[in-house]
Amino acid sequence: MNIRFLEFEDKGDERGSLAAINGGKEVPFAIERVYYIFNTAKNVRRGYHAHRALKQALIAVSGSCRILLDDGKERVEVALDNPLKGLYLDGLIWREIFDFSSDCVLAVLANAHYDESDYIRDYQKFQSEVKR
Ligand code: T46
């Protein structure tokens, strides 16, 4: 599956931690958009879509969550639970995000502005686009 974990350096000192992410360096794309998911209600599962072209890096900058990833051939579940760890997603991968801790802040860096036409929100349609 075309997923990769990214590791960010802790540039902290005795005052605490600091991580810096530069587009084209710590993440393999130019960053065009940042959004974050927080205050997630209990037992919520969200996502349920794939992207056609978007590249993203997902980072639990606080707390933790789990992500189901499905490339049409295999399904894997991964955990995000460390602000120094990112999940890089590129290409047709169905994703569902769940098990949010109450303090979870999931930050997402993306290489493009929001574009609804890049989303596949229907699983059958996703499967037929993967087969093409
Ligand atoms: C993804 C996962 C990890 C915007 O207006 N601008 C934006 O940049 C985004 C991301 C969303 N929106 C609007 C669209 C919806 O009306 O915010 C609302 C909630 O978005 P959505 O239902 O797509 O949220 P999730 O959690 O299902 O998915 C989001 C991202 O959309 C998606 O790209 O990979 O987080």
Side-chain angles (χ1 to χ4, degrees), residues 33 35 37 46-47 49 51 56 95 97 114 119 121:
R33 177 167 53 116
Y35 62 92
I37 293 168
R46 55 188 301 163
H49 62 259
H51 284 285
Q56 299 196 112
R95 77 242 10 216
I97 310 146
Y114 177 73
Y119 284 72
R121 294 190 185 270

Side-chain angles (χ1 to χ4, degrees), residues 9-126:
E9 190 185 335
D10 186 346
K11 295 171 185 289
D13 54 28
E14 65 284 352
R15 297 170 296 173
S17 294
L18 187 155
I21 302 174
N22 298 278
K25 289 178 85 178
E26 288 83 1
V27 294
F29 53 81
I31 300 164
E32 279 292 320
R33 177 167 53 116
V34 176
Y35 62 92
Y36 34 94
I37 293 168
F38 59 105
N39 280 348
T40 306
K42 266 196 175 161
N43 300 320
V44 159
R45 195 169 177 107
R46 55 188 301 163
Y48 294 99
H49 62 259
H51 284 285
R52 295 191 167 92
L54 191 68
K55 298 179 200 300
Q56 299 196 112
L58 284 66
I59 308 153
V61 294
S62 168
S64 62
C65 62
R66 294 184 63 76
I67 307 183
L68 167 80
L69 301 162
D70 177 342
D71 66 0
K73 294 189 199 109
E74 64 173 320
R75 292 188 141 215
V76 295
E77 276 186 24
V78 300
L80 284 180
D81 53 10
N82 179 341
L84 299 176
K85 174 173 148 188
L87 172 66
Y88 174 55
L89 296 179
D90 178 13
L92 275 179
I93 297 173
W94 185 265
R95 77 242 10 216
E96 295 171 20
I97 310 146
F98 58 101
D99 269 2
F100 288 88
S101 63
S102 56
D103 59 347
C104 183
V105 180
L106 179 65
V108 184
L109 314 179
N111 77 328
H113 289 184
Y114 177 73
D115 174 9
E116 187 58 37
S117 71
D118 188 63
Y119 284 72
I120 307 168
R121 294 190 185 270
D122 178 84
Y123 189 73
Q124 304 302 326
K125 199 167 177 201
F126 160 71

